[in-house]
Structure formats: structure tokens, C-alpha cells
Amino acid sequence: MLSVKDLKVYFYSDSRVARALDGVSYELRRGETVCLVGESGCGKTVSALTILRILPQPPGRIMDGKIFLDHQNLLDLDEDEMRKVRGRRIAMIFQEPMTSLNPVFSIGEQIGEAILVHEKVDQEEARKRCIQLLKDVGIPSPEERLKDYPHQLSGGQRQRVMIAMALACHPELVIADEPTTALDVTIQAQILNLFRELKRKREMSLLYITHDLGVVANIADRVYVMYAGVIAEQGEVRHIFHDPRHPYTQGLLASLPIRAKRGKALHSIPGTVPNPAFKPEGCPFHPRCPFAIERCRFEFPEMCDYGGGHLSRCPVLYGR
Amino acid sequence: MLSFIARSSIQKIITLFFVSVISFLVIHLAPGEPSQVDPLNPKFTPEMVERFRQQFHLDQPLYIQYAYFYRDLLTGKTASWKDNQPVLKKIWERFKNSLLLFVVGTVLTWTLSFPIGIRSAIFRGGVYDRSATFFSYLLISIPGFFFAYILIILVVSTLHVPVIDMETFGLGNTSWLRWLMDRVWHLLLPSVLGATGGIAVLSRYVRSQMMEVESQDYVRTARAKGVPEEQVHYKHALRNALLPFVTMFGLILPGLIGGSVIIESIFAWPGMGRMAYEAILARDYPIVLTVNFISAVLVLMGTFVSDVLYMVVDPRIRL
Amino acid sequence: MSAKEAERFLQPPGMEKPVASRESQWREFWRLLTKNRLAFVGLFIFVFFFLIALGGLILTSGTKPFFDPAVVRLEEKLRPPLSSPKSEILGSDRIPRLGLYLFGTDELGRDVFSRMLQGAWVSLTVGFVAVGIAVFIGILLGGISGYYGQNAVRADQMLVMIVWLLGIGLSVAGKAAVGILLLVGGSTLFIFSRGWKRNEGRREPSGWARVLWRKTISIDTLVMRFVDIMLCFPSFFLILTVVALLPASLYNIMVVIGLTSWMGTTRFVRAEFLSLREQDFVTAAHALGVSNWRIIFRHMIPNAIAPVLVSATIGIATAILTEAGLSFLGLGVPPPHATWGNILSDGKNFIFDAPWLTFIPGVAILIVVLSFNLFGEGLRDILNPRLRERS
């Protein structure tokens, strides 16, 4: 249903170019939950913003690539057509619920706006739908809550409102950009359950961006692991967790505290994530990779197919 | 809300009291004698001086003078030392003239600054923004009276329109239309002058507020929802960006007295600023003190109004 | 730019390449400054102006100055710029130094160029001294209010402060004897009360002590009320009042402008301190046992200084304009000392016959004030951490 092909997005500043996305491809089928995993700065959010084309284009530039929504390249659409996609066919939920809602409008007005910009309904109908949406996302006594302002709500509640706003027009795809990172762990569990239930009831696809492998294990059907603007490994969730074939994925999984032996030092990947403006030549992970050979320093690796949709960008491990 | 009003009023009255004391002290502790009582002037015999001092309680200790003065002020009986006219009447005359200038200037400032600032912010870096920025800097850096003279020269030599004072002297009985045009021409230049500085500053501020708001997360959310671009700017961003300006609106009240001295001097506009200035030079203390008091009242009222407006407009404060 | 061309920006790979290049604070400041062209031009003009003012001061002071601004040549009045003197009439000692009147002469035949040179230093000093005073008071009051704000002032401390204020006020007003008496009395009270508190504090306070040690308002309220009171006075009006009532002199003007413009700085510093105080590095310093003074000076003020610097540079510009305005109204620096403001205002009477008398100082003031404003705005962009790049 959604297919991102070879997306290249660079950020230009006075002195340097940051290559945020260097040829990223991923896809979602209808009804799937796909997780985009990676550390901060690897480009996951940039790719999401590019799908909706709300990336600030003066510093950013889409250099290359295609984004297909059901055979329509979104990058070819003009602004008016794109606007019809945003919120109606693809909706996005952001990371920071504390600042993502407009403080001077009530939540009823904001959710209502999500409906009214796309569909010709009257105020009363919109109001009824808002109440239903709030019920769906688990906010108690929704009729009274409509008049509330964002600052009167807790973080978890605000995020539920964001979800309600995103679902207002029954989108086919919901992109969730680390929706629970800023929330407590207990709220995180609630929100995840909410997502699962909503997906089931509404048959929508979910692109869930996160850096938390626990969340991935919980809800993902398929996983794409990103590193430094490229996809390092992709596959079904059981393949990724039980049979990781890229050194980075292996390092991530090994770093989980639950994998560590009590009393021994935790495993960590040496080095740090490269600055998007100063990426190493060859394989972007090679400076930190325990399996790196001479070839890794010069040759940018292609994807290696392990079958069943499991691909990994490491020829070295493929050979073993 | 009511408790806020009550508390705020009491605080302001206390502040007003202190202001009155300080301004009184500043005037009276400064060296120099009030106008009419000029010891070097041979017309004033010592007896006259003594009588004058008694009449104006100048021989009493300071706190008694203070009491007398403010009693007279609050009952409207203060008299100017220069010509014994009641102060409030004199001030009222000039006030009406200043008000006219002030209102026109303020309207010009506020109606022009917002479109300029908003447009500069939305099309940040473009030609419009850069030229608006350039002119803003120019206008805030130019000395006021220098600019005034340039404008006067330009207008007078190219358009041959008289601009000094409120209306052309000796216009006589002409049709009301010509009278109106005359008044407008006289009014135009000083208010434009007063407005240009204001526009320069305010539009920059509008611009920076707008830019700050545009970079907020909720603007991004609105766009992601599919809200049309104009609504993103004018409904979501502007509403937030305007918040501080609503409060500023209350604070323009004190501007009534403030910076018009120079403009009024250049254009010979009979306004309150000039009257106050002449009173200072002539050491006509009652007028100076009264103007000061009125200004303090305006400032306090202005802050009060802006506090209330802020509470009304920002839902975060209300509760 | 295509992807291929963009790749030229790629740095050569290296295993140990650090994520952020290490630059000292000054270097980074300089780099940002040179990138912001407006600010750089502003700074450049300011340095230029500073050199001219300094040079002007040297060249026009003393009994036989190099450029003499005070030589009156009534025969040569109102001569246009770049005109030559009629040397037959003038004696050799009254011929302008450069052989011609670079900026023309004024209504008394004085060389405008020399007067501008002399006035440059005055304008500079007015700006810096006035703003220096304002910033000093602002940081002092704002810092105290922001840091100690929640502490309440005790009744006996209040009493001491009132006595001191009265003492200062009366001394200034001329009743020096009573004033000094009050000051001495207040100081003894102060020392006495400190000692008393330290001793009494051990035991249950007596009735007297309980009354005198009652908390009155907090320091923050005290300072902010004072700021509110000062804000009630329309500033230009207040300056006018004081300048008109005091004997006219350069120092009076500078001090008065300074004493009436510290309110903004105080507010900024207080706001910054209020937010900085809650930050972890202050708590950490406290926990390490660093004294309050050191925390304020060494840790908090450098962080709070950004808005102060910006408002200071813009304040210098405003002070220069204010001085010009005062001169225009006749309340500026007394003649014959030249300031750009009074050259401009003297020239207003001859605006049609000798426009250069208005234009030259006007444009000069415009350029200098503009450069300060540009520099100030550029400084604001540079010091704004949000706009700074990740290097």
C-alpha cells in the first residue's frame, strides 16, 4: 500500500550538507504494523515527515526517490492534492504530546477541525463524531472534555487526543513517531494496547517509529532497522529478534539489559552514531563493527537476501 | 477574577502613592526657585515674594506642602504658578490636541505593523522581508527631529502644503471641505512621524513573535492534519503570536504623554508634551507634578488593563 | 545541487572522527559573527567610530589642539563643505588645518569637521557611561531579586533601609548634616541588629525581638515594586525634568539617562536568574559548597548575560539619540563644547541656507546608531542557542 523507494533527503546549511536519508526504501501492506527502529538521528522522523511532505524545505531537500501510496507517487502531487492526503489518507502522531496541541483552542475544536477540513459535515455531526472518537481512545466523560484546553490534560491524555485527531477521518495509514517516548512506562503500555485495539477495529496500517526494542517485539509485524540514513536490516519480527544478520542489529539486541549476565558489564556498541554531515565512506557502520574487513571501508554494501523477506546490508555475515 | 482586581487595585494605589511622593521630592529638592518668584527680578518686592510664598505654602515644611498640593490636585483646584489658571483646565485643552495626534499615530502604527510583520515572517528571507527589515533599521536609527526636518522639507517644497501647527493661520471662512483638508494635512505629517518609529519597532516584534510561533510543534500538527496553508498561518499561528500584543495594547495608554515633546516642538503643535516641557523650563511645579501624576495613573491603568486582557485571552492563565 | 555534487562535501573517512568539532567559545562566536553580515558590518562601523572618537578626542583637546573646534571666524560663517578659506583675511593661526573646510563652517564660522571630531567622543561617552550605569544597576537589582527573591525582608532590616534612604536623600538635597547623622545612625543600627540577632537567635526570642524580626515583604516584591514605580515616570519626561533642574553638564546627563533606563535590564536579569536558579548546575554547585556570591558571579551571570548584552548595545544607540534629542530641546551639553546633537540642533535654524549643518551630524548619528542596532540584533541571533547550528 505504501512504498518508499530510494528516498534521499539532504539538509543544506551554510557550511555543510547533512545526508539525513541516503537511499531509504521500505513498504507497508494493508493492515500491517511496521516498525522503523533506530537510534536518535538516524533519519526515521525525517522519512515520516517526507511522506507527508511537511518537511521544512529550505534547509531540507528531497533529492531523489519516490513515495507510492497505492500507485500514486506522493512526490508528484501539488500542494492542494497533498493536503487531501494529509489527515485523510495518511495521519501522523507526533512525539511530544505536551507541545503538539495548540494551547489556545479547546480539544473539541482541534479534533473537530481534523474532521471539518476534509469532510462536509455540520457542527452537530462533527461534535458527535468527536465524542465517539474520544470514547474510542479511552478518555472518560468525553462530552465534558470537549471544552477542555490542552493544558488541563495530562501527557497521556493529550497523546490520546492526538490519536483521536489522527483517526478522525479514518485514514488508511497512521504514522506514529515515537508516541510514547515522552510518557511514563505504564501509560506507554496503555497507549500500545490502544493502538493494537484500534488497528484491529479499523483495519488500518500502522507505521510505528521507535528506538525501543521492547515496543517492537510487542506490536510489530515487520521491522526495518535504520542506521545513519540507510536501512541496515529488514524482515519479519521473529527473524529480526531470533536471527539478526546485521552487526548493528546484533549489537542492539545484545545491549538489552535483559540479555546481560548479572554482575558482568553490559554490552555496548563502541563509538557513536556518525554525524549526518560527516558520514564514513563505504559501509556507514564499519568504524564500529566487530566484523569489518578491508572491503567495508570503501564499498557501500548492497542488501543480502536471506529469504522470507529477511534482508540485511552486510555481505560479510552473509558469507558466513 | 474579582479577587485579582481587588488585589491589583490596592497594589496600584500604593504604587501611585509612592510615585507621588517621589515626584514631589524630586521637584522640590532640586535647586532653583519657581518662576514668578525670581529674586533677581526687580518687580518683585520682598513683601510680594513673601506673600507669594505664603499663598503657595512654600514656607511650610515639605510634608505639609505635599498634603496641600495633592489635596488641591485631587479636588481639581491646583493652580499654575505662571498665570494662576486652574491646572486641570489647561491640561485638558492641550490634552485634546495631543489625543488627536496620538490616536491617529497609534491607529497607523497598529494597522500597518501587523501585516508587515506577518508577511515578513511567513516569507522569511524573501525580498519583502529584507526590504522591510532594512527600512525598520533605518527608521529606528534616525534621530527623530532630523527625519522630521527632512520630511518637512520634502513635503513643503514639493507639495507646497503648510504643515506647521494645527491649521493654517488666517484661513478664515472657507468651505468646510477645505477646512477639513487643511486640518488633515496638518495632522498628517506629525502623526506619520510618530507612527514610523512605532511601525519599525512593532513590525519587527510581530515578525519575531510570528517566526517563533511558526516553529512550534502544534503548527506542524495542524499542517499534518491537512489544514490549508493560510489557515495554518492565520488561524493557528497568528492566534498564539498575538497573545503578547493584546497585553501590549493596554500599555500604549501611557504613550499619550510620553514621547511627543519633540514632535510637538517641531510642528508647533499645542499639545500636552510641549506644555509640560515649557512648564519644566519655567519651573511651574503644579503643572509638572500634575502631568506626572496623570502619567503615573495612565501607566498603572494601562498595566491593569493589559493584565486583565491577558487573562481573558490566554486560556492557560484563566484557570 | 545534485546528490553527486553534494557528495563533494563529504569529509574523508576516519575511524576516530569526533562527532562535533571542538571549537573554543570565542572561535565559535567569531565564526558566527562573520557569517552574520549585518552584525559584522555593525561591529566594523562601531570600531571605526570608536577610533575616530578616540582620535578626535586627542586631536581636538588641549590648549593648542591639532584640529581646533573652537576657533570663531565670523567672516567665514556658513561656508559649504569642501570650500577653501579666504586666507587673505584670516591670520595664519586661524586657517583650518587641512587647508579647507572639510564639512563647511557653522553660523559662527567654526570648522564643522573639527566640531564633529570633538563631538564624537562625547556621543560615545554618553552612550557607554549611561548604559554602563544602567547595566550595573540592572544586574545588581535583577540578580538579587532573581536569586534571593523568595527571602523575606525582616522588619528591622526594613527599618535600617528606610533610615539609610532618608539619610542619602537628605544629604543629596543639601541638608547634609541631618543626612549624615541618619546614615551614621542607620549603620550603627545595622551592626547592632546583626549582633543582636546572632546572640538572641540561640534562645527563645523575646517580645521585642519577635516584633522586630517579623517578616515583611519579600526581596523580590520590594525590587519589582521599585521597578514599577520607576516605570510610572515617562522616561523622556523624567530625564527632561531632572536635566532642566540640575545645572547642565555632560556628567549629569549621562548619569540621569543611566538612572532612568535600568528597568529593562533588571527585568531581563531577574527572569533569567529565576529560570537558571532551578537548573541543575546551580543545585550542584550549592551541593558542592560553593558560596552564594561565587555562584552568582561565576556561574549564573555569564549565562544570563545574553539578553543584557543585546539590550545594552541597543541601549547605547538609544542613549545617543536621547542626547541628541536633549540638545535639540536646548537641554544638552552646554556650549561651546560640541556634541553631534547640538551641532544638529544649532543647524536647524539655517536649514535652508546651510543644509549641511543638519545633514552631516544627522547622517553621522544615523550611521552610528544604525551600526549599534545592527550589531545588537546580530548579537541576539548569535547568542540565541536555538538558532545555533550543531557543529
Side-chain angles (χ1 to χ4, degrees):
Chain A
M1 181 194 97
L2 176 80
S3 178
V4 174
K5 281 196 184 341
D6 286 324
L7 196 57
K8 279 198 174 74
V9 175
Y10 291 1
F11 283 86
Y12 288 88
S13 70
D14 286 324
S15 50
R16 51 196 74 144
V17 184
R19 293 157 41 156
L21 293 180
D22 238 342
V24 167
S25 307
Y26 54 83
E27 56 180 41
L28 266 102
R29 291 172 217 126
R30 227 167 259 286
E32 260 197 321
T33 302
V34 167
C35 272
L36 202 52
V37 190
E39 292 170 274
S40 313
C42 71
K44 340 185 271 290
T45 305
V46 173
S47 71
L49 293 177
T50 312
I51 294 176
L52 274 184
R53 282 178 54 190
I54 50 179
L55 197 68
Q57 289 267 30
R61 266 181 64 178
I62 305 177
M63 309 296 298
D64 204 2
K66 299 188 191 357
I67 302 178
F68 286 103
L69 179 66
D70 282 341
H71 313 296
Q72 169 75 52
N73 187 350
L74 293 179
L75 298 176
D76 286 337
L77 294 178
D78 66 21
E79 183 58 25
D80 277 328
E81 295 166 332
M82 194 64 216
R83 197 178 65 70
K84 295 208 196 86
V85 172
R86 290 187 201 124
R88 207 161 65 125
R89 299 188 65 190
I90 307 181
M92 188 156 170
I93 298 166
F94 296 95
Q95 188 172 344
E96 279 288 342
M98 305 305 277
T99 52
S100 293
L101 290 171
N102 198 323
V104 298
F105 294 121
S106 70
I107 62 172
E109 286 172 307
Q110 296 192 54
I111 302 179
E113 184 182 36
I115 302 174
L116 291 170
V117 287
H118 290 294
E119 300 179 26
K120 280 183 168 28
V121 294
D122 61 1
Q123 295 278 357
E124 188 51 38
E125 172 73 22
R127 190 169 166 275
K128 278 200 265 192
R129 279 170 64 167
C130 288
I131 297 180
Q132 182 58 47
L133 282 165
L134 286 178
K135 279 213 192 93
D136 287 345
V137 297
I139 292 195
S141 28
E143 294 88 359
E144 284 104 60
R145 298 310 233 182
L146 278 186
K147 300 189 255 73
D148 282 350
Y149 286 90
H151 66 275
Q152 295 171 268
L153 271 55
S154 73
Q157 289 174 318
R158 285 189 225 194
Q159 197 62 298
R160 289 178 198 259
V161 169
M162 286 287 297
I163 297 174
M165 257 180 12
L167 297 175
C169 297
H170 300 280
E172 302 159 42
L173 166 66
V174 171
I175 305 177
D177 188 1
E178 304 204 47
T180 53
T181 306
L183 302 171
D184 291 336
V185 174
T186 47
I187 311 289
Q188 183 169 16
Q190 291 175 7
I191 301 280
L192 280 177
N193 286 337
L194 180 61
F195 268 119
R196 207 185 317 213
E197 192 188 308
L198 288 169
K199 239 202 71 185
R200 191 177 49 86
K201 283 209 306 211
R202 288 164 174 253
E203 272 194 29
M204 58 190 199
S205 317
L206 182 60
L207 177 64
Y208 199 103
I209 300 177
T210 181
H211 62 257
D212 187 340
L213 289 171
V215 170
V216 176
N218 199 314
I219 60 165
D221 295 326
R222 284 190 305 124
V223 182
Y224 286 83
V225 179
M226 265 182 86
Y227 184 80
V230 298
I231 302 282
E233 186 166 359
Q234 66 191 72
E236 295 191 16
V237 63
R238 56 197 166 90
H239 288 154
I240 300 290
F241 274 86
H242 295 305
D243 192 21
R245 294 291 182 145
H246 191 284
Y248 178 57
T249 322
Q250 293 173 351
L252 281 181
L253 288 167
S255 311
L256 290 175
I258 201 131
R259 296 271 182 121
K261 288 220 174 37
R262 193 183 167 80
K264 288 206 156 167
L266 291 172
H267 181 270
S268 67
I269 309 178
T272 48
V273 180
N275 188 317
F278 302 116
K279 288 206 278 202
E281 235 176 272
C283 171
F285 188 63
H286 85 257
R288 308 168 70 187
C289 181
F291 303 108
I293 59 177
E294 193 59 23
R295 231 179 95 193
C296 299
R297 284 175 58 196
F298 309 110
E299 208 179 288
F300 184 73
E302 293 301 320
M303 283 295 222
C304 309
D305 197 337
Y306 289 87
H310 186 181
L311 286 85
S312 156
R313 204 181 282 279
C314 184
V316 176
L317 289 187
Y318 192 59
R320 309 235 178 124
Chain B
M1 179 75 109
L2 219 56
S3 68
F4 170 76
I5 295 183
R7 255 187 308 130
S8 188
S9 311
I10 295 184
Q11 282 175 351
K12 305 243 184 280
I13 293 184
I14 296 181
T15 312
L16 192 58
F17 171 69
F18 276 107
V19 171
S20 67
V21 169
I22 293 182
S23 51
F24 191 81
L25 285 177
V26 166
I27 300 281
H28 278 270
L29 294 178
E33 290 290 321
S35 60
Q36 284 176 295
V37 193
D38 187 357
L40 295 179
N41 190 330
K43 276 212 288 213
F44 284 108
T45 62
E47 298 85 36
M48 270 188 78
V49 170
E50 199 43 48
R51 213 162 18 106
F52 186 78
R53 285 173 71 86
Q54 269 193 332
Q55 184 186 15
F56 284 108
H57 313 290
L58 287 172
D59 48 344
Q60 307 267 21
L62 275 179
Y63 50 91
I64 307 257
Q65 291 191 42
Y66 175 82
Y68 274 120
F69 178 76
Y70 278 100
R71 181 202 67 187
D72 289 338
L73 176 69
L74 293 173
T75 53
K77 290 204 300 180
T78 19
S80 154
W81 286 352
K82 207 155 88 158
D83 51 10
N84 234 340
Q85 293 282 336
V87 168
L88 285 180
K89 190 158 87 133
K90 283 182 78 165
I91 291 184
W92 179 245
E93 289 298 318
R94 302 288 200 119
F95 177 74
K96 288 189 288 194
N97 300 335
S98 280
L99 190 64
L100 188 60
L101 207 55
F102 175 71
V103 166
V104 175
T106 307
V107 165
L108 274 176
T109 305
W110 282 66
T111 46
L112 287 181
S113 302
F114 280 93
I116 296 180
I118 295 173
R119 188 115 194 270
S120 297
I122 296 182
F123 297 107
R124 173 187 190 174
V127 175
Y128 188 88
D129 185 22
R130 278 187 294 185
S131 29
T133 309
F134 173 69
F135 277 112
S136 298
Y137 277 122
L138 208 61
L139 286 176
I140 36 181
S141 309
I142 204 167
F145 44 99
F146 180 52
F147 189 46
Y149 280 120
I150 295 181
L151 277 185
I152 291 180
I153 292 178
L154 274 173
V155 170
V156 170
S157 37
T158 51
L159 296 175
H160 301 291
V161 172
V163 289
I164 304 296
D165 208 338
M166 288 183 71
E167 50 185 6
T168 313
F169 185 72
L171 195 56
N173 256 333
T174 50
S175 63
W176 67 269
L177 186 65
R178 285 201 64 187
W179 176 83
L180 190 67
M181 288 297 301
D182 186 51
R183 291 298 294 255
V184 166
W185 269 119
H186 282 281
L187 185 57
L188 197 65
L189 219 50
S191 18
V192 163
L193 197 61
T196 43
I199 293 179
V201 169
L202 195 58
S203 68
R204 299 285 306 164
Y205 197 35
V206 168
R207 176 184 179 269
S208 73
Q209 267 301 112
M210 195 68 184
M211 281 185 349
E212 166 128 7
V213 166
E214 291 267 349
S215 67
Q216 294 288 335
D217 280 345
Y218 50 84
V219 172
R220 184 177 62 170
T221 307
R223 229 178 239 125
K225 277 192 332 199
V227 176
E229 199 62 14
E230 316 89 61
Q231 272 191 42
V232 170
H233 292 307
Y234 291 103
K235 183 174 165 199
H236 284 265
L238 191 58
R239 182 87 168 64
N240 277 277
L242 283 184
L243 283 181
F245 295 103
V246 170
T247 65
M248 260 175 82
F249 197 71
L251 294 171
I252 58 175
L253 213 49
L256 201 47
I257 301 216
S260 55
V261 178
I262 294 185
I263 298 180
E264 290 178 7
S265 298
I266 297 178
F267 288 91
W269 191 272
M272 219 162 43
R274 209 157 65 111
M275 181 184 74
Y277 163 61
E278 287 161 3
I280 295 178
L281 287 184
R283 298 223 154 84
D284 193 350
Y285 293 163
I287 293 193
V288 175
L289 282 176
T290 313
V291 171
N292 221 329
F293 188 77
I294 294 179
S295 152
V297 169
L298 286 179
V299 167
L300 292 173
M301 262 171 44
T303 40
F304 181 70
V305 167
S306 77
D307 283 342
V308 170
L309 281 178
Y310 198 34
M311 281 178 66
V312 165
V313 158
D314 189 346
R316 285 171 287 191
I317 307 285
R318 227 181 284 163
L319 306 128
Chain C
M1 207 199 283
S2 74
K4 283 241 164 55
E5 293 165 306
E7 286 181 15
R8 279 190 302 169
F9 281 81
L10 248 194
Q11 294 262 18
M15 290 275 278
E16 306 302 323
K17 180 109 187 123
V19 176
S21 54
R22 250 166 266 147
E23 266 182 334
S24 78
Q25 253 190 326
W26 288 113
R27 285 272 286 282
E28 177 173 352
F29 180 77
W30 186 250
R31 184 174 61 86
L32 286 169
L33 183 61
T34 44
K35 268 213 293 230
N36 188 334
R37 260 173 305 158
L38 282 184
F40 190 63
V41 167
L43 183 63
F44 183 72
I45 297 183
F46 161 63
V47 169
F48 186 59
F49 168 64
F50 184 75
L51 293 173
I52 290 188
L54 200 57
L57 179 69
I58 299 176
L59 295 172
T60 56
S61 48
T63 41
K64 291 244 12 113
F66 192 71
F67 285 100
D68 197 336
V71 169
V72 172
R73 315 172 186 87
L74 288 172
E75 320 83 346
E76 292 275 82
K77 62 180 179 187
L78 299 183
R79 307 265 293 139
L82 299 179
S83 54
S84 325
K86 305 192 186 71
S87 45
E88 322 84 60
I89 324 177
L90 300 174
S92 61
D93 59 324
R94 295 205 298 159
I95 294 189
R97 180 64 60 172
L98 294 176
L100 70 155
Y101 299 118
L102 208 57
F103 287 160
T105 62
D106 65 3
E107 71 278 10
L108 291 180
R110 293 177 291 200
D111 178 21
V112 175
F113 181 66
S114 314
R115 297 203 81 213
M116 292 287 288
L117 279 183
Q118 186 184 46
W121 180 250
V122 174
S123 298
L124 193 71
T125 333
V126 166
F128 274 85
V129 171
V131 168
I133 295 177
V135 164
F136 178 70
I137 299 180
I139 293 185
L140 193 65
L141 285 182
I144 291 179
S145 170
Y147 193 75
Y148 291 110
Q150 302 310 314
N151 300 353
V153 179
R154 291 199 316 266
D156 56 334
Q157 290 170 328
M158 187 72 106
L159 203 60
V160 170
M161 276 199 310
I162 294 179
V163 171
W164 268 347
L165 273 175
L166 278 178
I168 297 179
L170 285 175
S171 321
V172 164
K175 302 193 176 34
V178 184
I180 299 196
L181 194 62
L182 278 176
L183 280 175
V184 170
S187 314
T188 20
L189 258 179
F190 179 63
I191 301 175
F192 179 63
S193 74
R194 282 192 76 150
W196 191 33
K197 179 114 194 340
R198 217 174 303 140
N199 288 331
E200 285 281 324
R202 313 290 168 81
R203 336 170 253 217
E204 186 65 31
S206 62
W208 261 122
R210 263 208 299 269
V211 168
L212 279 178
W213 290 346
R214 267 185 68 110
K215 291 187 193 249
T216 54
I217 56 181
S218 70
I219 294 185
D220 186 41
T221 320
L222 192 64
V223 172
M224 290 319 280
R225 289 289 149 250
F226 182 41
V227 170
D228 284 341
I229 291 175
M230 286 301 289
L231 284 175
C232 281
F233 294 95
S235 88
F236 193 65
F237 192 63
L238 186 61
I239 296 177
L240 263 189
T241 313
V242 180
V243 168
L245 295 176
L246 290 179
S249 102
L250 181 61
Y251 292 99
N252 285 343
I253 294 178
M254 294 193 292
V255 166
V256 169
I257 297 182
L259 287 179
T260 50
S261 41
W262 51 265
M263 288 84 80
T265 311
T266 307
R267 278 210 165 134
F268 283 137
V269 174
R270 173 177 172 270
E272 289 281 327
F273 265 59
L274 280 181
S275 71
L276 282 175
R277 200 179 48 169
E278 306 304 323
Q279 290 206 21
D280 288 337
F281 73 88
V282 172
T283 321
H286 234 117
L288 283 173
V290 183
S291 76
N292 278 337
W293 277 115
R294 208 176 142 80
I295 293 183
I296 293 182
F297 278 102
R298 185 86 180 69
H299 295 276
M300 291 178 79
I301 286 191
N303 278 298
I305 205 101
V308 174
L309 273 185
V310 173
S311 77
T313 41
I314 298 184
I316 296 181
T318 316
I320 297 183
L321 284 177
T322 309
E323 185 272 320
L326 285 176
S327 302
F328 174 77
L329 294 174
L331 293 171
V333 177
H337 198 141
T339 75
W340 289 4
N342 63 29
I343 301 178
L344 182 53
S345 94
D346 290 339
K348 73 176 185 281
N349 301 320
F350 306 98
I351 195 158
F352 286 105
D353 310 312
W356 61 89
L357 282 182
T358 342
F359 268 85
I360 292 179
V363 169
I365 295 181
L366 170 62
I367 293 180
V368 170
V369 169
L370 186 64
S371 74
F372 271 108
N373 279 325
L374 287 178
F375 182 56
E377 288 278 328
L379 210 57
R380 175 182 294 159
D381 284 343
I382 292 174
L383 292 176
N384 187 345
R386 270 178 292 175
L387 294 179
R388 233 182 260 164
E389 274 177 19
R390 265 177 39 212
S391 48

